[in-house]
């Protein structure tokens, strides 16, 4: 029975509502943005974003309800693993999905309702701290939501760590969240990783400082930055190089390096 519950949780997780929302509008959201709730907010607006977010949280709660049908110790951790894995690697959509944060949140909300509600406060405080510390400095990168989610996850581990089953469930949700978030944000992470930047781990969580090119820029400097193409935000790599001592710094934008 546990195997069937885990399989059902994976299939439920594979129903990627952001991708379905994009297809209802006639295009694939994965070609424009992340296949997650935040991508729907950016591409389709707050109405679609709220609706898709509710559905994503709901599928996580449904998977948690399925896990509750079994008295097995491992049912909850394995169903948690399965539903988030389904969102990240959906069988219905060529195994290319999003980060799974909303589905993981829904699962946690059903399994540990009181603690998860308090973690939402920690999440909101994390967003505030992020924007206070980094927004004025014009930090660009993976950004605020993963930063706040990590703080909320640490809080949940702290308050639930004494319960072995709860801890394994949280680790299942959190580990997949890191894998899914990094994979979904690959267009922003890849340019930094390729260049072997020593501050890569810091930038994954907090972002990379983005500044306008100046005479102090040196050849080969590259930043992963957002621009707008036909009213759609995309990510690319800006590379600056010197063309001569009197010609200053020349910068070019390259999207092809992210494919």
């Amino acid at each position: 029975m546990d195997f069937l519950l885990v399989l059902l949780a994976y299939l439920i997780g594979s129903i990627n509502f952001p991708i379905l929302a994009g297809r209802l509008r006639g295009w694939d959201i994965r070609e424009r943005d992340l296949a997650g709730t935040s991508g729907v907010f950016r591409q389709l607006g707050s109405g679609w974003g709220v609706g898709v977010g509710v559905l994503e949280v709901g599928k996580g709660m449904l998977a948690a309800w399925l896990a509750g049908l079994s008295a097995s110790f491992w049912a909850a951790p394995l169903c948690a693993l399965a539903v988030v894995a389904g969102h990240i690697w959906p069988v219905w959509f060529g195994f290319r999905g999003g980060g799974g944060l909303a589905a993981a949140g829904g699962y946690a909300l059903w399994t540990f309702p009181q603690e998860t509600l308090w973690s939402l406060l920690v999440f909101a405080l994390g967003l505030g701290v992020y924007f206070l510390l980094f927004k004025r400095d014009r930090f660009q990168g993976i950004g605020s939501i993963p930063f706040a989610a990590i703080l909320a996850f640490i809080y949940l581990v702290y308050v639930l760590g004494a319960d072995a089953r709860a801890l394994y469930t949280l680790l299942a949700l959190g580990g997949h969240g890191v894998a899914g978030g990094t994979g979904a944000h690959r267009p922003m992470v890849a340019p930094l990783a390729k260049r072997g930047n020593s501050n890569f781990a810091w930038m994954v969580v907090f972002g990379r400082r983005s500044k306008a090119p100046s005479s102090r820029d040196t050849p080969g400097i590259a930043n992963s930055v957002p621009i707008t193409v036909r009213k759609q935000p995309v990510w690319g790599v800006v590379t600056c190089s010197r063309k001569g001592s009197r010609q200053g710094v020349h910068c070019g934008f390259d999207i092809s390096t992210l494919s």
Side-chain angles (χ1 to χ4, degrees), residues 86-238:
H87 183 87
I88 300 171
W89 301 289
V91 66
W92 316 120
F93 301 106
F95 301 99
R96 288 177 53 226
L101 183 60
Y107 196 100
L109 186 61
W110 182 272
T111 311
F112 334 105
Q114 185 176 353
E115 294 83 357
T116 303
L117 288 174
W118 279 108
S119 77
L120 292 177
L121 177 60
V122 176
F123 182 88
L125 290 173
L127 289 178
V129 168
Y130 179 91
F131 286 117
L132 229 114
L133 292 179
F134 305 124
K135 198 65 176 178
R136 289 186 179 180
D137 245 355
R138 297 194 302 171
F139 268 72
Q140 298 289 342
I142 292 182
S144 57
I145 291 179
F147 172 77
I150 289 171
L151 293 183
F153 176 75
I154 292 172
Y155 167 79
L156 285 173
V157 170
Y158 174 75
V159 298
L160 294 170
D163 184 339
R165 185 180 183 185
L167 181 61
Y168 284 128
T169 302
L170 284 173
L171 291 176
L173 293 172
H176 266 61
V178 170
T182 304
H185 288 81
R186 185 182 64 84
M188 289 170 269
V189 174
L192 303 176
K194 280 181 186 176
R195 287 163 178 79
N197 198 302
S198 59
N199 295 321
F200 176 64
W202 170 272
M203 289 184 291
V204 165
V205 178
F206 297 104
R208 180 186 178 97
R209 187 191 299 272
S210 177
K211 62 185 181 66
S214 69
S215 59
R216 293 189 297 273
D217 286 322
T218 57
I221 282 185
N223 288 311
S224 179
V225 296
I227 66 166
T228 300
V229 176
R230 295 182 181 177
K231 299 184 179 180
Q232 299 298 335
V234 297
W235 285 81
V237 176
V238 171

Side-chain angles (χ1 to χ4, degrees), residues 18 172 194 239 259:
K194 280 181 186 176
T239 304
S259 59

